[in-house]
Amino acid sequence: DEATTAYVTMLGDDALILGQRLSEWCGHAASVEVDLSLANMGLDLIGQATNWLGLAAQHDAKWADADALAFRRDVLDFRNCLMVEQPNGDFAQTMARQFLFSTWQHMLLERLAGSSDEAIAGIAAKSVKEVAYHRELARDWVVRLGDGTEESHEKMAAGIDWNWRFVPELFEVTEELEELVKRGIAVDPREFEADYRAEIEAALTEGTLAVPDDQRPILGGRRGHHSEHLGHLLAVMQYLPRTYPDAKW
Amino acid sequence: DEATTAYVTMLGDDALILGQRLSEWCGHAASVEVDLSLANMGLDLIGQATNWLGLAAQHDAKWADADALAFRRDVLDFRNCLMVEQPNGDFAQTMARQFLFSTWQHMLLERLAGSSDEAIAGIAAKSVKEVAYHRELARDWVVRLGDGTEESHEKMAAGIDWNWRFVPELFEVTEELEELVKRGIAVDPREFEADYRAEIEAALTEGTLAVPDDQRPILGGRRGHHSEHLGHLLAVMQYLPRTYPDAKW
Amino acid sequence: QELIDAFEARVAADEFIEPKDWMPEAYRKTLVRQISQHAHSEIVGMLPEGNWITRAPSLRRKAILLAKVQDEAGHGLYLYCAAETLGTSREEMIEALHSGKAKYSTIFNYPTLTWADIAAIGWLVDGAAIMNQVPLQRTSYGPYARAMVRVCKEESFHQRQGYEAMLALTNGTEEQKRMAQDALNRWWWPSLMMFGPPDDKSPNTERSMRWRIKRETNDELRQKFVDITVPQAEFAGLTVPDPDLAWNEDKNGYDFGEVDWEEFYAVVRGEGPVAKERMKARREAWESQAWVRAAADAHQAKRAAKQVA
Amino acid sequence: QELIDAFEARVAADEFIEPKDWMPEAYRKTLVRQISQHAHSEIVGMLPEGNWITRAPSLRRKAILLAKVQDEAGHGLYLYCAAETLGTSREEMIEALHSGKAKYSTIFNYPTLTWADIAAIGWLVDGAAIMNQVPLQRTSYGPYARAMVRVCKEESFHQRQGYEAMLALTNGTEEQKRMAQDALNRWWWPSLMMFGPPDDKSPNTERSMRWRIKRETNDELRQKFVDITVPQAEFAGLTVPDPDLAWNEDKNGYDFGEVDWEEFYAVVRGEGPVAKERMKARREAWESQAWVRAAADAHQAKRAAKQVA
């Protein structure tokens, strides 16, 4: 049904857009090891996106396959959250984003592995280990940079600050989502919001970082109302299929 | 004929790509006055590109109009020189590029205003005043930043250095061009190479800047063999017409 | 008190106050705040549009947008100059912007998501700006009023171009129509917020009206804007996203729904969707390029020294 | 001299030299130069491909390219480690790269202009690399030889993927075929340059052969590459851009034209088309992010201090 398709597309878009962002780092990290781990996370996420969007395309005859969904939609049809489309900024900002997102994604996928929809449960179960690693790695960097030098502390604080306003969106629940939760297909993120907040706070504290004040939540990504960043990302990402619509690669 | 069309397209592509680059600055300059002058130059160049590419489209039935040429070609068909596609870098790099290019463009257009092809002569005559202003403005900044502070001097030296390897391409003469020169349609840039070199050297000297050593010339733009920068510029610039091929705006 | 009475009499007689004239400190302060806020809005307002110059869909649209943004930079300049006549330097005003002390129009804290947003900004935002600014051509402070004359001429040109760009979309493909409607949905309410809080929550209105810094109240201007804009939306085949919108024969104007003032105040506090992006862009342009301004000054000093020598 | 004789005897007997073994200073220096150059090439080589990861035309191609680039980072790591066993730190090697003292493969100073370049790099550049590296699996220095075993396995996988990507283009639309041919035109000669100068201009070859650091000469390897690659180009329907290319029955190999060695030496001097871009990217990644490495060290020190306390 449409709601399930939309939900699966949302999961795929989160992975796709964050994977694309991470792939922008290629060759530009502070050390070969960091380059490796960024490429590795990017690769995991592109793989997950392929699975989720492939499933969405199976549900919806309008789209031939995962590639069609990835490369032939414009901004208003992308359902990813605003956080994943945020610019990389410096390495601290990238890791802040990764930590805030992967922690949420991990808590979600753990629970989604028990979805009543077997296909969803399957992809979630396959992805959850990868994401556990992303979460761990990003958490390490948050602590390391937070409690590193004065400069790295400032940068990590700024990175957290930049992404903080997009946390509430991760826990937004629409009527559509509530319906899916009732049917056992989706997970209500509010179930683990307290856990999430506690874990974030613990990591920030360990990194000697303050928990930022909450501001008015910025929402809209799930309904196609994105920041200005996504359009630029898509212009680059979709250039080849858009320019050569008949080509196979 | 084909050679004339290619020549006119080349002139249009130079203006288009540099205009596009300048428009990236919008809202990000060091002062409102600088923002104004960058937008002003960008606007001039987009206007010139519209005229040149409009003329090229008249010559070649394959292309409906200037927009088709601007938005429906991929890198291998762009004929602009490598210098104009170079990234903005900082303001010094932008002004170094502008000075090295506008000085050449101005010397060329002055002579092209006497082309035996009336359409070419007309557009050249219309553009030459605008470009004289670009040349002057960029020269002022080269001198000002060169002979400003130590920091600005270093940045301007780096900006000149970045763009210097693309100067020889401006004076490249192909057989095709020689043919057009014989027919009085085009101008042989070697006619004014000595003047150009003298003027550049004078400005650099006034700005207490060294004339960089020549290196192996980097060529190829006129044959569609560009740097890596142009593809990214086009992905952004062409996104809307590529994504909505049937739309009119 | 004598000075104040004389001042108020001049203002009441619709005379212009000029920089060298005596004026109450509160008048000066209010003007600096208002003019610099207006100048900042022009400058920050270049960013949402600049976001689409590189992606404009045709050479003509790119040129129009570049020219528009250039006009805005020009407006920013006149306005900074007008404010400087009141004894505050441009640097001070810019520092106040960057520190968050000075404000700019809340509208520029919303993202330009699709090309239709550029059309919507021209149509709605410049439309609302004109509504605010036309009366300011007769504002009591001379330099401000004269700046406004030039600004208004160009803004109304921008507004027409924006509406024309919108019609190109609503006469276009299904996808273009969808973009256009979506843009109206997102920009409608923020445009209404441009007139500021409702009159009963706008404590300075009365004095500003008396001093002819303002010549119409926020709610009056908002009503005018709605009355003019709704028929334009209808002509374009667009639906205004307000279920309460209805023609009211008695007042010869539209009734319309309540603006979400919570959102407005949050955006004023700096919590708008792209507020961080806007301030980051402005601060970086200013701070990371201080070297350009310093170099220009240093060069000028060197030349001056040479001429003396 | 006794030590040298013993060393040379071991090498001649195809024994591996290990880090703690005695070795001539020139052997050590040559190896550090060669291995670090190889490591730098892996790292710099991520840039031309990284240029297309964000624009890969399908999710599958994006994943393949990401995986490939990841492999290259991995190779870079093994190789830096192998070089470090010779007593030079990674920081020293990287500083040498950034100062221009150390070199990397000339091939990475050419731009990746279209998607077909990614296919061409996989096919030709990884193909040439394998040709160079396969013999190195039996090179005399143990850690280098062992690193090469892992590297070669992955490189040959990359080469097959690159050729497959090329076939997808040559079996595609006219525009794809054009891209493919254009890529071959631009990458062919630089690929031949990857084997280094001709033997008669390669003064160190003889000694390197004796020490089994090298096991085949530049010209031998170049010939092998041409003989293997030309039929692949033909199978793909592509034309090798060399008018002098001709099958030579007698030598059972291809005759081919003269490489433009002027160009090669210019690129070695750092005058390649995108040499500035490559070094700028590497320097900025390293220098502007020194704070990341510093923070990691500082954090580790703090933790160590806590554990002691």
Side-chain angles (χ1 to χ4, degrees), chain C residues 1-13 15 17 22:
Chain C
Q1 190 57 38
E2 212 173 305
L3 284 164
I4 291 188
D5 289 345
F7 171 83
E8 296 215 335
R10 282 184 67 192
V11 166
E15 274 181 53
I17 306 298
W22 184 88

Side-chain angles (χ1 to χ4, degrees), chain D residues 34 37-38 105 107 124-139 144 148 151-152 155 190-196 213-222 224-225:
Chain D
Q34 182 172 329
Q37 181 168 328
H38 191 163
S105 179
I107 195 89
L124 301 173
V125 177
D126 287 73
I130 295 167
M131 216 61 75
N132 270 327
Q133 290 162 12
V134 162
L136 293 176
Q137 297 178 83
R138 298 172 298 119
T139 193
Y144 190 24
M148 276 301 116
V151 169
C152 282
E155 297 279 25
S191 298
L192 296 191
M193 294 177 196
M194 284 179 71
F195 300 96
I213 293 174
K214 245 176 158 161
R215 307 206 53 140
E216 290 181 76
T217 73
N218 297 350
D219 286 335
E220 282 165 10
L221 291 165
R222 189 159 20 240
K224 246 192 205 171
F225 175 77

Side-chain angles (χ1 to χ4, degrees), chain C residues 51-126:
Chain C
N51 184 40
W52 281 93
I53 293 182
T54 55
R55 289 179 290 171
S58 69
L59 295 170
R60 178 172 159 260
R61 292 289 175 200
K62 195 188 288 290
I64 288 176
L65 194 51
L66 265 167
K68 186 184 175 193
V69 161
Q70 210 182 343
D71 286 347
E72 284 158 2
H75 299 174
L77 269 187
Y78 314 154
L79 288 161
Y80 281 128
C81 291
E84 284 183 313
T85 63
L86 292 157
T88 307
S89 75
R90 206 204 296 185
E91 282 66 29
E92 286 175 276
M93 291 185 261
I94 288 175
E95 301 291 348
L97 172 67
H98 293 175
S99 72
K101 248 174 62 194
K103 302 293 175 194
Y104 55 94
S105 179
T106 52
I107 194 89
F108 300 121
N109 292 307
Y110 293 87
T112 47
L113 186 53
T114 73
W115 171 253
D117 292 24
I118 296 304
I121 286 183
W123 172 34
L124 301 174
V125 177
D126 287 74

Side-chain angles (χ1 to χ4, degrees), chain C:
Chain C
Q1 190 57 38
E2 212 173 305
L3 284 164
I4 291 188
D5 289 345
F7 171 83
E8 296 215 335
R10 282 184 67 192
V11 166
D14 274 343
E15 274 181 53
F16 283 132
I17 306 298
E18 295 300 332
K20 288 178 179 170
D21 296 343
W22 184 88
M23 61 189 82
E25 223 16 67
Y27 177 84
R28 184 186 300 272
K29 261 179 115 169
T30 305
L31 269 175
V32 169
R33 205 193 59 224
Q34 183 173 328
I35 302 175
S36 71
Q37 181 168 328
H38 190 163
H40 298 328
S41 298
E42 296 284 354
I43 301 306
V44 177
M46 294 169 76
L47 296 170
E49 292 180 317
N51 184 40
W52 281 93
I53 293 182
T54 55
R55 289 179 290 171
S58 69
L59 295 170
R60 178 172 159 260
R61 292 289 175 200
K62 195 188 288 290
I64 288 176
L65 194 51
L66 265 167
K68 186 184 175 193
V69 161
Q70 210 182 343
D71 286 347
E72 284 158 2
H75 299 174
L77 269 187
Y78 314 154
L79 288 161
Y80 281 128
C81 291
E84 284 183 313
T85 63
L86 292 157
T88 307
S89 75
R90 206 204 296 185
E91 282 66 29
E92 286 175 276
M93 291 185 261
I94 288 175
E95 301 291 348
L97 172 67
H98 293 175
S99 72
K101 248 174 62 194
K103 302 293 175 194
Y104 55 94
S105 179
T106 52
I107 194 89
F108 300 121
N109 292 307
Y110 293 87
T112 47
L113 186 53
T114 73
W115 171 253
D117 292 24
I118 296 304
I121 286 183
W123 172 34
L124 301 174
V125 177
D126 287 74
I130 294 166
M131 216 61 76
N132 270 327
Q133 289 162 12
V134 161
L136 293 177
Q137 296 179 86
R138 298 173 298 119
T139 193
S140 59
Y141 187 59
Y144 190 24
R146 288 188 291 272
M148 276 302 117
V149 173
R150 286 178 73 178
V151 169
C152 282
K153 211 176 293 171
E154 291 176 356
E155 297 280 26
S156 77
F157 183 61
H158 297 162
Q159 193 271 347
R160 282 199 302 278
Q161 282 180 330
Y163 187 59
E164 185 264 328
M166 200 50 134
L167 291 180
L169 298 176
T170 56
N171 291 324
T173 66
E174 283 311 308
E175 289 160 318
Q176 287 176 299
K177 286 179 193 166
R178 179 185 169 207
M179 262 183 219
Q181 181 63 54
D182 186 78
L184 177 59
N185 294 349
R186 285 178 291 108
W187 290 93
W188 175 256
W189 292 106
S191 297
L192 296 191
M193 294 177 196
M194 284 180 71
F195 299 96
D199 292 346
D200 53 13
K201 300 252 171 66
S202 180
N204 299 323
T205 289
E206 201 219 358
R207 198 181 60 185
S208 284
M209 298 275 285
R210 195 173 74 241
W211 282 347
R212 309 256 159 129
I213 293 174
K214 244 176 158 160
R215 307 205 54 139
E216 291 181 73
T217 73
N218 296 351
D219 285 337
E220 282 165 10
L221 291 166
R222 190 160 19 241
Q223 181 69 50
K224 247 193 203 171
F225 175 76
V226 171
D227 292 344
I228 286 182
T229 309
V230 169
Q232 292 173 345
E234 279 168 5
F235 178 80
L238 294 167
T239 307
V240 173
D242 179 357
D244 297 329
L245 188 77
W247 179 252
N248 181 331
E249 197 63 59
D250 291 343
K251 73 175 189 191
N252 197 27
Y254 285 91
D255 290 332
F256 54 95
E258 179 72 4
V259 171
D260 180 352
W261 294 112
E262 283 301 310
E263 176 175 325
F264 173 75
Y265 289 114
V267 177
V268 169
R269 283 196 306 274
E271 300 179 7
V274 297
K276 274 191 195 294
E277 276 87 343
R278 298 294 181 246
M279 288 315 292
K280 180 172 186 281
R282 287 312 313 157
R283 279 200 202 107
E284 279 185 3
W286 185 253
E287 287 161 20
S288 77
Q289 294 184 100
W291 67 270
V292 174
R293 299 186 301 275
D297 292 347
H299 182 75
Q300 204 171 18
K302 285 186 192 180
R303 286 182 65 147
K306 266 184 207 153
Q307 275 177 346
V308 170

Side-chain angles (χ1 to χ4, degrees), chain B residues 16 19-20 22-36 38-43 46-47 49-50 53 66-67 70-71 90-92 140-141 143-149 151-152 155-156 206 233 236-241 243-244 246-249, chain C residues 43 46-47 49-50 52-64 66-67 69-74 76-77 80 90 94 113-115 164-165 168-169 172-173 175-176 179 281-282 284-286 289-300 302-303 306:
Chain B
L16 174 62
Q20 175 74 7
L22 289 173
S23 73
E24 292 171 6
W25 268 102
C26 176
H28 301 282
S31 71
V32 190
E33 287 83 352
V34 175
D35 244 325
L36 255 172
L38 291 167
N40 184 38
M41 286 195 289
L43 184 56
I46 297 300
T50 307
L53 296 179
D67 281 339
F71 296 104
D90 61 20
F91 182 64
D140 282 351
W141 276 112
V143 172
R144 195 176 288 136
L145 297 180
D147 189 20
T149 64
E151 184 180 6
S152 72
K155 286 187 199 287
M156 182 47 81
E206 197 180 327
L233 180 151
V236 170
M237 184 175 88
Q238 299 180 335
Y239 139 76
L240 272 176
T243 303
Y244 303 100
D246 304 322
K248 290 204 169 62
W249 308 91
Chain C
I43 301 306
M46 294 169 76
L47 296 170
E49 292 180 317
W52 281 93
I53 293 182
T54 55
R55 289 179 290 171
S58 69
L59 295 170
R60 178 172 159 260
R61 292 289 175 200
K62 195 188 288 290
I64 288 176
L66 265 167
V69 161
Q70 210 182 343
D71 286 347
E72 284 158 2
L77 269 187
Y80 281 128
R90 206 204 296 185
I94 288 175
L113 186 53
T114 73
W115 171 253
E164 185 264 328
L169 298 176
T173 66
E175 289 160 318
Q176 287 176 299
M179 262 183 219
R282 287 312 313 157
E284 279 185 3
W286 185 253
Q289 294 184 100
W291 67 270
V292 174
R293 299 186 301 275
D297 292 347
H299 182 75
Q300 204 171 18
K302 285 186 192 180
R303 286 182 65 147
K306 266 184 207 153

Side-chain angles (χ1 to χ4, degrees), chain B residues 51 59 71 108 113 115 124 140 147 208 220 248:
Chain B
N51 292 332
H59 279 302
F71 296 104
L108 181 72
S115 167
D140 282 351
D147 189 20
T208 72
K248 290 204 169 62

